[in-house]
């Protein structure tokens, strides 16, 4: 999206940090309106295979952001990243409250030691969150439409989705500001983003493979949605990711940068699938006529 704010400028920094701080939501996971679930709903909720993974991922996210925060030199950016750390810890607390309230079989696993390069860990986490959330948008919409769980529970999850969207927008703008401060041009910034997305994709592929085995409690496998949703369709899932991403991003200031790579890939994939269907249509029609004639 074309913006009127120059990436890397003081105006840009002030805008993306202020937007992040101003959209903070104050709530306590303990006092949220957790619904009373029926036995059938409880069985479905407890049967979801990745709650321990979600819990671990959110706890690790908070640890990474908290560890990186003191190393951020700019006080305005540091304040915003500190707020993100608070929100990541609160996400973990929310998952813990849900686990305890509904008797879900999940426990806290030991966190991995922090790497020496905390900034790289933060960037790795940020790109991973972009990828994970883009897929999560589609999984969330599909799950809600299927009425897999009561709407009241999805309302609580939607708060997390909004905060994850805020994190993505903040991170994308932070990276643009950071790289511009270091003198990186558009081409080098794009190549660097591709490299980090590639790393995130590699971790995701490893996660998918592990998802075929008993959970080890270390990753959030949004791509396992088809394990518990009937009528799962890859094309519909991609469409949901694409449309939900656009809908959620539309809530933010148009002068803020937004993720472009994943929506572009999804859009290209959808156009390819539509073109493939169009190319196959005459052949299918001809085959149908031949069968009737026979």
């Amino acid at each position: 999206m074309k913006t009127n704010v120059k990436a890397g400028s003081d105006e840009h920094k002030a805008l993306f940090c202020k937007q992040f701080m101003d959209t903070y939501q104050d709530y306590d996971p303990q006092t949220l309106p957790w619904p009373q679930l029926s036995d059938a709903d409880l069985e479905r909720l407890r049967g979801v295979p990745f709650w321990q993974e979600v819990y671990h991922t959110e706890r690790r996210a908070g640890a990474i952001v908290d560890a990186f925060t003191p190393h951020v030199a700019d006080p305005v950016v540091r304040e915003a990243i500190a707020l993100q750390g608070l929100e990541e810890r609160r996400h973990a607390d929310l998952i813990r409250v849900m686990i305890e309230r509904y008797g879900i079989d999940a426990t806290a696993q030991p966190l991995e030691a922090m790497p020496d390069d905390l900034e790289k860990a933060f960037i790795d986490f940020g790109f991973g969150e972009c990828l994970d959330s883009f897929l999560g948008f589609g999984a969330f919409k599909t799950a809600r439409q299927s009425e897999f769980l009561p709407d009241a529970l999805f309302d609580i999850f939607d708060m997390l989705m909004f905060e994850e969207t805020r994190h993505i927008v903040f991170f994308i703008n932070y990276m643009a500001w950071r790289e511009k401060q270091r003198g990186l041009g558009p081409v080098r910034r794009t190549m660097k983003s591709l490299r980090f997305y590639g790393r995130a994709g590699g971790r995701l592929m490893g996660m998918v493979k592990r998802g075929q085995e008993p959970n080890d409690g270390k990753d959030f496998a949004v791509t396992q949605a088809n394990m518990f949703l009937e009528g799962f369709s890859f094309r519909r899932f991609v469409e949901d990711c694409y449309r939900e991403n656009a809908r959620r991003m539309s809530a933010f200031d148009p002068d803020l940068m937004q993720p472009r790579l994943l929506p572009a890939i999804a859009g290209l994939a959808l156009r390819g699938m539509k073109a493939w269907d169009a190319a196959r249509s005459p052949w299918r029609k001809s085959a149908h006529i031949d069968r009737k004639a026979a």
Side-chain angles (χ1 to χ4, degrees):
M1 179 178 291
K2 197 76 172 175
T3 72
N4 298 317
V5 178
K6 186 177 180 181
S9 65
D10 287 341
E11 182 185 8
H12 179 221
K13 178 188 72 176
L15 177 64
F16 72 78
C17 289
K18 184 177 187 303
Q19 181 275 332
F20 188 73
M21 302 293 291
D22 287 351
T23 53
Y24 170 73
Q25 300 179 106
D26 187 21
Y27 64 87
D28 180 355
Q30 289 281 3
T31 60
L32 289 174
W34 296 99
Q36 188 75 27
L37 299 184
S38 67
D39 290 344
D41 289 334
L42 277 173
E43 183 178 359
R44 281 194 292 272
L45 181 66
R46 292 167 180 167
V48 173
F50 52 68
W51 288 126
Q52 186 159 291
E53 299 177 2
V54 176
Y55 187 30
H56 183 90
T57 299
E58 294 296 353
R59 290 175 59 240
R60 185 170 184 274
I64 289 173
V65 178
D66 284 346
F68 174 59
T69 300
H71 299 274
V72 179
D74 188 284
V76 176
V77 177
R78 183 170 63 246
E79 183 182 13
I81 292 178
L83 179 62
Q84 181 182 353
L86 181 153
E87 292 182 358
E88 298 291 2
R89 294 195 307 274
R90 189 172 61 183
H91 289 180
D93 193 38
L94 187 150
I95 299 300
R96 178 190 59 78
V97 170
M98 182 186 69
I99 287 169
E100 293 175 354
R101 183 179 184 87
Y102 297 122
I104 297 170
D105 184 16
T107 57
Q109 301 293 307
L111 294 177
E112 299 86 348
M114 288 294 106
D116 293 333
D117 191 340
L118 291 171
E119 185 173 37
K120 185 177 180 180
F122 177 76
I123 294 172
D124 262 330
F125 160 69
F127 278 104
E129 191 170 41
C130 289
L131 178 60
D132 192 56
S133 293
F134 184 78
L135 298 175
F137 293 155
F140 183 83
K141 181 179 179 181
T142 304
R144 188 161 200 167
Q145 287 181 335
S146 73
E147 299 181 342
F148 180 74
L149 292 168
D151 236 25
L153 201 53
F154 279 114
D155 286 342
I156 292 176
F157 294 153
D158 199 47
M159 295 172 60
L160 269 68
M161 298 301 288
F162 173 70
E163 289 189 343
E164 295 293 357
T165 310
R166 288 173 58 251
H167 294 176
I168 292 168
V169 173
F170 174 79
F171 175 73
I172 290 296
N173 283 271
Y174 163 79
M175 284 300 296
W177 171 80
R178 174 189 182 276
E179 304 299 62
K180 191 71 174 179
Q181 294 290 310
R182 287 160 173 75
L184 269 66
V187 174
R188 290 180 64 190
R189 292 202 304 269
T190 299
M191 295 303 294
K192 190 168 187 176
S193 295
L194 285 170
R195 179 164 62 87
F196 276 100
Y197 271 126
R199 289 165 60 88
R203 291 191 298 273
L204 180 62
M205 290 301 101
M207 176 186 64
V208 170
K209 290 179 182 178
R210 289 194 301 274
Q212 299 170 356
E213 303 169 355
N215 283 326
D216 61 6
K218 292 186 178 178
D219 294 298
F220 176 23
V222 293
T223 52
Q224 293 183 29
N226 60 328
M227 293 176 61
F228 60 93
L229 295 176
E230 295 181 2
F232 179 83
S233 160
F234 177 72
R235 177 170 174 172
R236 189 184 71 180
F237 178 68
V238 175
E239 288 175 343
D240 285 345
C241 291
Y242 184 80
R243 291 171 181 167
E244 278 297 287
N245 178 77
R247 182 182 72 82
R248 291 181 181 276
M249 292 296 168
S250 68
F252 294 87
D253 191 318
D255 277 334
L256 289 170
M257 301 178 74
Q258 297 180 3
R260 292 179 294 178
L261 180 61
L262 297 179
I265 292 173
L268 182 62
L270 289 172
R271 288 193 293 273
M273 284 185 275
K274 289 177 182 177
W276 173 251
D277 286 346
R280 292 178 61 199
S281 182
W283 180 85
R284 288 200 303 263
K285 188 178 293 185
S286 175
H288 178 68
I289 293 172
D290 290 344
R291 283 196 300 270
K292 288 184 68 176

